[in-house]
Amino acid sequence: MENVKITDLYDLSHTAAADYLCGFEYPWEALKGISDFIISLGKTLSPDEYDNPAENVWVHKTAKVFPSAYLGAPCIIGANTEVRHCAFVRGSALVGENCVVGNSVELKNVIIFDNVQTPHYNYVGDSILGYRSHMGAGSITSNVKSDKLNIVIKSGDETLETGIKKIGAMLGDYVEVGCNSVLNPGTIIGRNSNIYPTSCVRGVVPANSIYKTACGEIVAKK
C-alpha cells in the first residue's frame, strides 16, 4: 500500500518525536510507545526552558496554559503553544510548538506536530497530526470500531491489517479538516488535502486531494 508511510505523510523536522518516529514504517505502529517516549524525552528537557508542574508533565515556559485546562501525565507542551479553557489533555500527549489546543478539546495518546490547531470542541485520540494541520470546529477522530475488532487500513481494493484495536486518524502535513467531520478509525489523509465540512471519512485520502461531502467523492486539487 502506497502513500501511507511516515515518510509519505510527514516532514519530521517539525516535531520533537523525529528520532522516535524514524523507528517505524507506518505511523500507527508508533502509537503503542508514545507514553514511554514522552517520559523519556521529558527527562532530558532543560529546567531553564520547561516547567515541571506535576510528575511527567512538562510545559515550555513560553506556553500559555489557561487555569481551567487539565494536563494529565505524561505530556509535553511545546514553546508558544496555547492550551485554552477547559481543554482536557488526558495524557500520552506530545504537543509541539506554536500549537492551539482549544476550548473543550480532548487529547489522548497523540503526537501533535508544530503549528497544529485543534481549536474548538475536538476529540483527538490515538492519532498523529502533521505539521500545520488543522481540525475544524467539532471535528473528531473516532478510534475504536463499533465491533471492537482490529482496525484494517483500506485504500480502494487494498487492505492492510494493523493488529491494533485503537487507531484514530493520521493527518499528513497541511491537512485541513472541515467543521463537524468524523474521521473513522484508521483514516489516513495525505499531505495538503482538504476534507469538506460534515464529512464522514474512511480509508485513505491521497495527498493533494479534496474529499467532498455526501458520497465521499475525492477529486485532485487544481
Side-chain angles (χ1 to χ4, degrees), residues 74-102:
C75 73
I76 296 173
I77 307 298
N80 300 307
T81 284
E82 281 194 6
V83 183
R84 295 175 177 167
H85 285 297
C86 299
F88 180 29
V89 180
R90 284 171 55 186
S92 298
L94 173 62
V95 183
E97 299 180 358
N98 306 304
C99 293
V100 174
V101 181

Side-chain angles (χ1 to χ4, degrees), residues 39-95:
I39 293 171
S40 176
L41 176 61
K43 291 177 179 179
T44 70
L45 298 176
S46 169
D48 294 332
E49 297 183 20
Y50 284 83
D51 293 324
N52 187 200
E55 185 177 5
N56 294 329
V57 174
W58 294 270
V59 180
H60 197 276
K61 292 181 184 294
T62 62
K64 184 175 183 180
V65 179
F66 284 68
S68 58
Y70 174 83
L71 301 181
C75 73
I76 296 173
I77 307 298
N80 300 307
T81 284
E82 281 194 6
V83 183
R84 295 175 177 167
H85 285 297
C86 299
F88 180 29
V89 180
R90 284 171 55 186
S92 298
L94 173 62
V95 183

Side-chain angles (χ1 to χ4, degrees), residues 49-205:
E49 297 183 20
Y50 284 83
D51 293 324
N52 187 200
E55 185 177 5
N56 294 329
V57 174
W58 294 270
V59 180
H60 197 276
K61 292 181 184 294
T62 62
K64 184 175 183 180
V65 179
F66 284 68
S68 58
Y70 174 83
L71 301 181
C75 73
I76 296 173
I77 307 298
N80 300 307
T81 284
E82 281 194 6
V83 183
R84 295 175 177 167
H85 285 297
C86 299
F88 180 29
V89 180
R90 284 171 55 186
S92 298
L94 173 62
V95 183
E97 299 180 358
N98 306 304
C99 293
V100 174
V101 181
N103 58 300
S104 304
V105 167
E106 181 177 349
L107 302 180
K108 190 271 293 185
N109 202 45
V110 293
I111 294 175
I112 308 292
F113 278 52
D114 299 338
N115 295 84
V116 170
Q117 293 191 340
T118 58
H120 312 285
Y121 306 104
N122 307 111
Y123 172 70
V124 185
D126 300 288
S127 299
I128 300 176
L129 274 54
Y131 178 63
R132 289 193 179 276
S133 59
H134 173 260
M135 298 281 287
S139 60
I140 65 169
T141 64
S142 174
N143 58 345
V144 181
K145 293 173 61 178
S146 59
D147 58 14
K148 307 301 188 291
L149 296 178
N150 289 342
I151 292 167
V152 177
I153 308 299
K154 297 181 180 180
S155 178
D157 295 330
E158 290 186 280
T159 60
L160 188 60
E161 298 283 348
T162 68
I164 303 172
K165 288 187 177 181
K166 286 190 177 183
I167 301 175
M170 306 293 145
L171 273 58
D173 299 335
Y174 299 99
V175 164
E176 291 280 343
V177 178
C179 296
N180 290 319
S181 293
V182 176
L183 309 181
N184 284 280
T187 294
I188 314 293
I189 304 177
R191 297 186 198 212
N192 196 41
S193 286
N194 293 57
I195 307 300
Y196 268 25
T198 71
S199 295
C200 184
V201 187
R202 298 178 184 276
V204 177
V205 178

